[in-house]
Amino acid sequence: MSRIIAAAAIRGAHRIASRAEEALQEALAKYGPDHPVAFPNTGYYLPVIYGVTGVAVEKIGDMIPVMERVKALLPPEPESKLWLPYLGPALDAGMATLFADEIIEALKYLEESPPYTMTSAPRNGTLWLGAADDAILRKRGIEFVDGTAPGFAAIVGAAPTNEIAVQIARELQEKSLYVFMSAATNGKSMAEQLAEEGVELGWDTRLVPFGKDITATVFSLGFATRVALSFGNVKPGDFRRVLLYNKNRVFAFVIALGEVDDEKYAQAAGAINFGFPTIADTDIPQILPYGVCTYEHVVSSVPHEKIVSRAIEVRGLKITVAKVPVPVAYGPAFEGESVRKGDMQVEFGGQRTPAFELVRTREAHEVEDGRIEVVGPEADSVPEGGKLPLGIVVDVYGRKMQEDFEPVIERRFHYFVNYAQGVWHMGQRDIIWVRISKAAFQAGFRVRHFGDILYAKIKSEFANVIDRVQVTIYTEEDKVLQLREEARQVYARRDARLKELSDEAVDTFYSCTLCQTFAPTHVCIVLPERVGLCGAVSWLDAKAAYEINPHGCNQPVPKKGVIDEWKGQWETCNQFIYEHSRGSIEAVNFYTIMEYPLTSCGCFEAIMVILPECNGFMIVNREYPGMTPCGMTFSTLAGSVGGGVQTPGFMGIGKSYLASKKFVRADGGLARVVWMPKEFKAQMRSVLEERAEEEGLGRDFVEKIADETVGVTTEEILPFLEEKGHPALTMDPLF
């Protein structure tokens, strides 16, 4: 490491450590050592400290030994700029900096008015989001797993102009990367520059303003640490595995904009510990191989028009962006953008006009490849803020195409259309709602471009099964109404087909090893009656994915050699899981949580947990931040259940698994559910009522399930269950 950078990093580390010491002493004097301290809604405490040292900081007094460790890590301050001939002391200073950062940032949450919104997007006049909670981590984690987010850029400082800031942000978005922003240059941050230009910020747009203070940079490293702990089954305190996991699996880099002072050098040294290089637009000493990072450690004086591509090259990222012929920027990072009424040029559906989407399998002579036709008025035929009907019919032909693939392709419309900047899509089938923004319209986006998007994306993503694609878009109301009725008949036939599917009716299940990018020992097996625990992969989805890409993460698993039919265990499934979990999981039962349950990666929509005192199970969804009757929040539970471990009595699930006839049937099925969060229960009410009636529990069974309004301890909910006559209390003991 350059001696100049080493010296600067050490000086910066001493400054930040002094800030942390001062803040800690003030907090101890004001609140006392037993006062709770934490980042909101996380089971990972202060994640860098927890991941690297294993220390769970739960109260202010817990910071005292951490502060002593910071001091122990700090090398002496250099007497000159040209000091220290090697990397080690600067890396120690970098790690000390990250620990001190977390102390400073955690203590900010004790303020009467913390500087952070603690939401997923800026609001109420506050730009800064602060630490991501575990619900955000897991929601966004699946994008890092499936490749829609290949990595993240941590941007420190500000660009020379707002225009350059927007250019850098848009290029990173188009390459599907998350952008984490912190610190300032001459009093301004890049996030503030983007906000001044009207750019939408937040987790949904992947432009995340963590905080204006240089110490907020640690939120990026904390996010990366939690990825290792949550998805990688890395144990807290195993610092070597935490750092190696990040170097090899979390593709991130730092872009330093503007003057790099000593405190920014200290943050860069901390990032280098994780294998994340720093790329700067100013002239700072370069650090070349060999060392901790895969390639260079620090690269300087990169022109702004090349800084993103250079950073991607240095980090070793391989990003392929397929060009879609539309007049606006296009990529997954724009999926989360919203188009509000005041920004809207024209809208379709959303109960304002009739609208639907449909994929139809046709014979070769019925499909003209590449034909895109708009039947009816274009977007420029209505006044600003107007509305039109919308019917999107995509006819496809392919030698390997099957009708079962139609809904799989249809569900992708939502993502394909949303990837266009300034275009907003919600829903599916005949309940879609679409808007084109004024900005997109002024850039030239029209109804026809829906066809351009769908043709390009379907041809590229489903090339193995589809040979020809033809798109017809209807905006004439009479024609839309007529075709919508035909579409509804198709939807009904599909639904009937799905209901007929059962585990007994097929001879093949499908694996999903997508999450092994982050959880190397986790193997999901998707059954007709058990959706993947992320909730996003059904048996038909996995079957289609295998047909589309026979070498992908969804592979057929023959259902042979029954070991226990009631609990759901087969020899071939055990063999597949054993081989693909690197020998860590020997057996799995698919219909019980109590014996050899399916493992979890970390992407689960909900967690199911045994409550022995109630002789039943509680289920908590990721959106619920409060305490649960098992004594842990969702985030704490997730830290125990995720990472590919097999934990009897604990299991991650997809929400729709509650609708399955095989829902933990060996344990007693739905009758064992005794507690759910109120909002989750309301969300799943229709499913629960239907299943309860089918199982002979009665539609009013839902009213017998306790929620947080009844209590969040078993002592509080037991009287309620007894009063309601909950069936779990009279069933055989679970163990």
Side-chain angles (χ1 to χ4, degrees), residues 430-448:
D430 58 348
I431 56 171
I432 61 169
W433 187 6
V434 184
R435 283 178 170 175
I436 299 173
S437 71
K438 294 174 187 176
F441 181 83
Q442 289 165 6
F445 194 95
R446 297 295 184 269
V447 170
R448 179 200 158 81

Side-chain angles (χ1 to χ4, degrees), residues 258-305:
E259 179 191 359
V260 180
D261 58 22
D262 290 352
E263 292 188 7
K264 289 179 182 176
Y265 277 122
Q267 304 295 331
I272 289 172
N273 276 289
F274 283 73
F276 301 162
T278 295
I279 294 83
D281 63 349
T282 53
D283 184 17
I284 60 177
Q286 287 192 240
I287 304 173
L288 301 171
Y290 302 98
V292 183
C293 297
T294 306
Y295 300 104
E296 293 96 332
H297 292 64
V298 175
V299 180
S300 68
S301 301
V302 181
H304 296 108
E305 64 273 15

Side-chain angles (χ1 to χ4, degrees), residues 559-628:
K559 187 184 70 174
K560 294 180 180 178
V562 62
I563 295 173
D564 191 320
E565 186 174 6
W566 183 245
K567 293 180 180 178
Q569 185 177 162
W570 288 269
E571 289 180 4
T572 48
C573 295
N574 285 345
Q575 182 180 354
F576 184 94
I577 291 170
Y578 180 78
E579 292 174 357
H580 290 81
S581 69
R582 296 164 172 80
S584 62
I585 305 297
E586 297 183 355
V588 166
N589 288 316
F590 297 114
Y591 306 148
T592 174
I593 186 176
M594 297 304 298
E595 182 184 4
Y596 304 128
L598 189 64
T599 60
S600 301
C601 58
C603 301
F604 32 73
E605 292 187 301
I607 301 175
M608 198 168 172
V609 180
I610 184 174
L611 296 178
E613 300 91 336
C614 302
N615 202 34
F617 302 122
M618 55 156 271
I619 304 175
V620 57
N621 57 319
R622 72 168 68 247
E623 295 82 6
Y624 175 72
M627 185 53 66
T628 70

Side-chain angles (χ1 to χ4, degrees), residues 227-516:
V227 168
L229 298 176
S230 177
F231 295 97
N233 196 24
V234 178
K235 302 303 179 187
D238 190 347
F239 70 91
R240 185 175 182 276
R241 285 191 64 203
V242 167
L243 301 180
L244 284 175
Y245 185 95
N246 275 277
K247 177 184 177 182
N248 297 326
R249 292 183 179 271
V250 179
F251 292 96
F253 50 85
V254 177
I255 293 180
L257 298 175
E259 179 191 359
V260 180
D261 58 22
D262 290 352
E263 292 188 7
K264 289 179 182 176
Y265 277 122
Q267 304 295 331
I272 289 172
N273 276 289
F274 283 73
F276 301 162
T278 295
I279 294 83
D281 63 349
T282 53
D283 184 17
I284 60 177
Q286 287 192 240
I287 304 173
L288 301 171
Y290 302 98
V292 183
C293 297
T294 306
Y295 300 104
E296 293 96 332
H297 292 64
V298 175
V299 180
S300 68
S301 301
V302 181
H304 296 108
E305 64 273 15
K306 295 182 179 179
I307 200 165
V308 172
S309 59
R310 185 75 174 102
I312 289 170
E313 176 191 349
V314 169
R315 187 60 181 93
L317 267 169
K318 305 297 181 185
I319 297 178
T320 302
V321 179
K323 187 66 178 174
V324 176
V326 290
V328 295
Y330 188 87
F334 300 106
E335 178 196 342
E337 284 188 322
S338 58
V339 177
R340 296 177 176 85
K341 189 174 183 180
D343 302 322
M344 176 192 76
Q345 177 70 32
V346 61
E347 67 179 334
F348 314 82
Q351 298 183 338
R352 279 100 170 137
T353 65
F356 73 94
E357 298 169 335
L358 182 68
V359 172
R360 303 186 301 193
T361 303
R362 291 290 188 254
E363 296 298 326
H365 68 277
E366 298 176 288
V367 181
E368 181 183 337
D369 188 47
R371 180 180 178 183
I372 299 170
E373 183 181 5
V374 178
V375 180
E378 252 293 356
D380 49 14
S381 68
V382 295
E384 182 181 294
K387 54 184 180 290
L388 283 170
L390 184 67
I392 301 177
V393 178
V394 177
D395 292 318
V396 298
Y397 162 75
R399 287 179 290 274
K400 296 182 179 179
M401 182 62 191
Q402 301 175 28
E403 285 191 11
D404 284 346
F405 300 165
E406 291 175 353
V408 176
I409 299 169
E410 235 168 68
R411 283 196 294 274
R412 297 293 293 166
F413 285 15
H414 171 75
Y415 301 99
F416 295 160
V417 173
N418 262 329
Y419 290 172
Q421 184 185 8
V423 181
W424 180 77
H425 180 288
M426 277 191 68
Q428 59 179 317
R429 291 190 171 184
D430 58 348
I431 56 171
I432 61 169
W433 187 6
V434 184
R435 283 178 170 175
I436 299 173
S437 71
K438 294 174 187 176
F441 181 83
Q442 289 165 6
F445 194 95
R446 297 295 184 269
V447 170
R448 179 200 158 81
H449 290 113
F450 293 138
D452 291 326
I453 290 170
L454 294 175
Y455 176 77
K457 296 301 289 183
I458 292 171
K459 285 285 283 190
S460 64
E461 293 204 9
F462 297 94
N464 283 12
V465 295
I466 292 177
D467 301 316
R468 300 182 187 179
V469 177
Q470 172 181 299
V471 184
T472 310
I473 303 170
Y474 299 90
T475 57
E476 289 180 354
E477 185 163 350
D478 290 346
K479 195 65 176 175
V480 171
L481 288 170
Q482 173 196 333
L483 289 168
R484 187 178 66 175
E485 291 309 308
E486 295 179 22
R488 284 173 172 172
Q489 294 175 22
V490 174
Y491 304 151
R493 288 198 299 270
R494 289 179 188 164
D495 290 343
R497 161 80 172 127
L498 281 170
K499 283 193 173 183
E500 291 171 3
L501 278 176
S502 67
D503 295 353
E504 290 82 5
V506 302
D507 58 9
T508 303
F509 299 149
Y510 287 89
S511 70
C512 183
T513 54
L514 184 64
C515 294
Q516 285 196 345

